[in-house]
């Protein structure tokens, strides 16, 4: 059974940085996807960035050039380095994982197709 545990959230001023971590256990040895998603109060969950087990990434336009995802396969940990944070980045951030389908070149950002494993979330608050 896959388990995902996020950490690293907190409160930071606009323009600041945070690094989120997602410790994964029980991950399969087959091709898989991992991703970061977020949900602000009163809004729908949205994809932030996804990464294949081979390291191919897909970023949401709103975070490109500010956020960087990385996957440490040895530690089974997914990271999200967030720089130049804006008030609109404030949200609950979730880590997710699922099997990558054979025809998928990259992992999709749409949360609706991530029907496998989710973490409990970590809150990010931005003060202006």
């Amino acid at each position: 059974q896959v388990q995902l545990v996020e950490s690293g959230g907190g409160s930071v001023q606009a323009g600041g940085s945070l690094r989120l971590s997602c410790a994964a256990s029980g991950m399969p040895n087959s091709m898989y996807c991992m991703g970061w998603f977020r949900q602000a109060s009163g809004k729908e969950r949205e994809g932030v960035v996804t990464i294949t087990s081979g390291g191919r990434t897909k970023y949401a336009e709103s975070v490109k050039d500010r956020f960087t995802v990385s996957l440490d396969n040895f530690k089974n940990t997914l990271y999200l380095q967030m720089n130049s944070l804006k008030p609109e980045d404030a949200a609950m951030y979730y880590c997710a994982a699922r099997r990558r389908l054979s025809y998928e070149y990259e992992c999709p950002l749409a949360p609706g197709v991530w029907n496998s494993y989710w973490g409990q979330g970590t809150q990010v608050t931005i003060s202006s």
Side-chain angles (χ1 to χ4, degrees), residues 3 8 20 31 44 100 117:
Q3 289 190 324
L20 307 183
M31 299 185 302
E44 292 187 353
R100 181 163 72 93
Y117 307 102

Side-chain angles (χ1 to χ4, degrees), residues 35-114:
W36 287 101
F37 298 80
R38 66 187 181 187
Q39 187 166 16
S41 180
K43 294 189 176 182
E44 292 187 353
R45 190 169 297 189
E46 63 176 355
V48 176
V49 58
T50 63
I51 186 168
T52 68
S53 49
R56 188 172 296 118
T57 59
K58 184 177 180 67
Y59 287 87
E61 286 295 326
S62 60
V63 305
K64 270 184 181 179
D65 301 324
R66 298 189 299 120
F67 290 11
T68 303
V69 68
S70 58
L71 178 61
D72 186 329
N73 285 310
F74 181 73
K75 293 183 179 179
N76 282 337
T77 301
L78 181 71
Y79 300 98
L80 182 64
Q81 178 66 43
M82 305 187 294
N83 298 328
S84 302
L85 283 161
K86 303 176 180 180
E88 53 264 39
D89 294 319
M92 183 73 80
Y93 282 71
Y94 297 91
C95 171
R98 71 166 177 81
R99 192 173 301 274
R100 181 163 72 93
L101 303 177
S102 58
Y103 59 82
E104 290 181 320
Y105 174 76
E106 56 192 7
C107 303
L109 284 169
V113 298
W114 289 69

